Every structure is written in C-alpha cells, then in structure tokens.
Amino acid sequence: MALLTDLINLNLSDYTEKIIAEYIWIGGSGVDIRSKARTLSGPVTDPSQLPNWNYDGSSTGQAPGQDSEVILYPQAIFKDPFRKGNNILVMCDCYTPQGEPIPTNKRHNAAKVFSNPAVAAEETWFGIEQEYTLLQKDVKWPIGWPIGGYPGPQGPYYCSAGADKAFGRDIVDAHYKACLYAGINISGINGEVMPGQWEFQVGPCVGISAGDQLWVARYVLERITEMAGVVLSLDPKPIQGVANRGASIRVGRDTEKSGKGYFEDRRPASNMDPYVVTSMIAETTILWKPT
C-alpha cells in the first residue's frame, strides 16, 4: 500500500503531460497570502499562456457577499519546489469582472510606474531584506524563548551557531533551497539579533520583479512553516516591549568612496508591501519633479 509521502512525492511527468499550477494572490489584509491550484493540459513557460481564474472575494475581505467574484490575472511564474516536475507557482493580481484593479491590488499601480519609459530606461535594481520571526504554534511565542518568559540579552544570537543560540535553522535552510529551486533570486540568509528571528534577502531584481519574487518567497516560507508546525510572523515587533530600532537611510563606505553604488532605505517595516515601496522609490527618485 502506498504511503501518504509516496503520493505527495509522485513525479507526474512520468505519467501525464498535465501539470498543476498553484495560483497565488494577496488577501484582504494586505499581508495574508492565499492560493489555490488547478490542472493545466501541459507545461507553461510564460504567464501569458495561462488562463485567468476567479475566487470568492467575500471570503478574503476583498468583495461584498452580493457581488463577490474577483478575477485573478497571472503575472509571473516560478517552479514549484513542493510538487516539483513541471508544476508551477503563479503570482497573480486581482481585478473586478469589469477589469478594474480591486483596492488591495497594489501591483497594478506599481506596474504602471515601472513601465514608464523614464523608469524603464534607468533599469531600477532592488535588493530587499525580509526579517521574520518563527513562533510556537499554540502559544504564539518565539521559538527558543521560555514560555511566557524572555531570552537573555542581545549579543549571542546574531549570525550565531549552536543549539542554545540558533533556533529554526532547518526551516531557514529549507526555505533558502526551495527559493533557489523556484527561480527566486534569493541572495542570502542570516540569523537576527533576537532568538527565533531570521532574515533573507531577495535581489538584485529589476523593477516589478522585486515585488513578485518577494511575495512568492513569502508564500514559500508560509508553506514550509506550515509543514514544520510553526507560525510565521512578518510583524516588525511581534513581541511588544522588545526591541526598539530606528529608521534610517544609509550610504555604504564603498558607495561613498566610488561615488556610485547603492543605498539602504531602512524605513519600510518587515511587513511592507514590496509593490508599494519599490514603486514609490522609483517614482520619487525618477519621475517626481520639484515644484
């Protein structure tokens, strides 16, 4: 008799041309990620080959019950690290049946900014740091922390190794490899100053792809934490009263010395929408004209 794991790990390409496409979108809170899957007749190499789909927006806080249909427009595709084979993850944005972007669709406006000829000519590069915290499922308390208590002072945990300092590395490394498999330009990981908190970086990515790749990287991390039985938090301050960090814009020493390079904008929080932030940076640095 086949085991559940045997069925999960079936390589469909050995038996059928059909593939599974997991359509992903951003829910009504602007932070939650939703998805559902459909069967396609064969492999797909470009989102333009994919059909639009729909869902019940009244169940995601994005449409009223009496007129709840929301349409998914496929925008970017990635290899599926969970189903493997020719199966894909599809990043979508959301529209009314009349073709208007719904209010929570921040990608639509970002795409307009990045398709502006003046912005496209600059080939805007973005690298995004994503901090996150892993929480114990039943108590919503960071892994590695005593229940109801607090860890020792900051210092031993940042970029650390050891069972008493680094918590959740199996999840972090699984996510790292899954993103590389998917085709996400993940460029690194590290442990953060708080135990149970980690960071990954996506980029450099050009234009709208920075938002697409970060959202799919978040989705992959949600799926992996689901499998591991822990809760993912993108909240910049998941435990009240712990950590106060200033916001700044930093120019690195190499950039200063060379007179060119990149700068770090540390104002956006870890739960920011990358479509909003990247397009705002492009709009204000390239398109905005002082009056």
Side-chain angles (χ1 to χ4, degrees), residues 128-132 158 172 186 188-192 197-201 245 266:
I128 302 176
E129 294 183 355
Q130 176 66 70
E131 292 184 355
Y132 61 94
Y158 175 69
V172 175
I186 186 170
I189 59 166
N190 61 267
E192 267 297 341
Q197 186 181 49
W198 294 80
E199 173 188 304
F200 66 89
Q201 305 90 33
R245 185 175 298 179
R266 293 175 171 259

Side-chain angles (χ1 to χ4, degrees), residues 31-46:
V31 179
D32 59 311
I33 307 175
R34 310 292 180 121
S35 75
K36 62 177 185 173
R38 68 182 299 166
T39 305
L40 301 175
S41 59
V44 171
T45 57
D46 190 87

Side-chain angles (χ1 to χ4, degrees), residues 130-158:
Q130 176 66 70
E131 292 184 355
Y132 61 94
T133 305
L134 300 174
L135 305 177
Q136 301 168 62
K137 184 174 67 172
D138 296 327
V139 293
K140 301 296 193 297
W141 203 245
I143 63 172
W145 290 34
I147 300 298
Y150 294 88
Q154 292 181 6
Y157 311 108
Y158 175 69

Side-chain angles (χ1 to χ4, degrees), residues 84-123:
K84 303 188 178 73
N86 293 320
N87 304 299
I88 56 174
L89 305 177
V90 184
M91 189 65 208
C92 304
D93 60 353
C94 306
Y95 295 81
T96 67
Q98 293 74 37
E100 295 297 320
I102 65 173
T104 54
N105 180 354
K106 306 304 182 186
R107 190 188 191 282
H108 178 78
N109 184 68
K112 289 199 297 185
V113 171
F114 287 118
S115 63
N116 184 292
V119 176
E122 293 295 336
E123 195 175 316

Side-chain angles (χ1 to χ4, degrees), residues 10-30:
L10 275 177
N11 185 352
L12 294 179
S13 59
D14 291 341
Y15 307 99
T16 179
E17 286 292 313
K18 294 180 180 180
I19 69 163
I20 300 172
E22 189 80 27
Y23 279 46
I24 302 165
W25 71 95
I26 302 159
S29 71

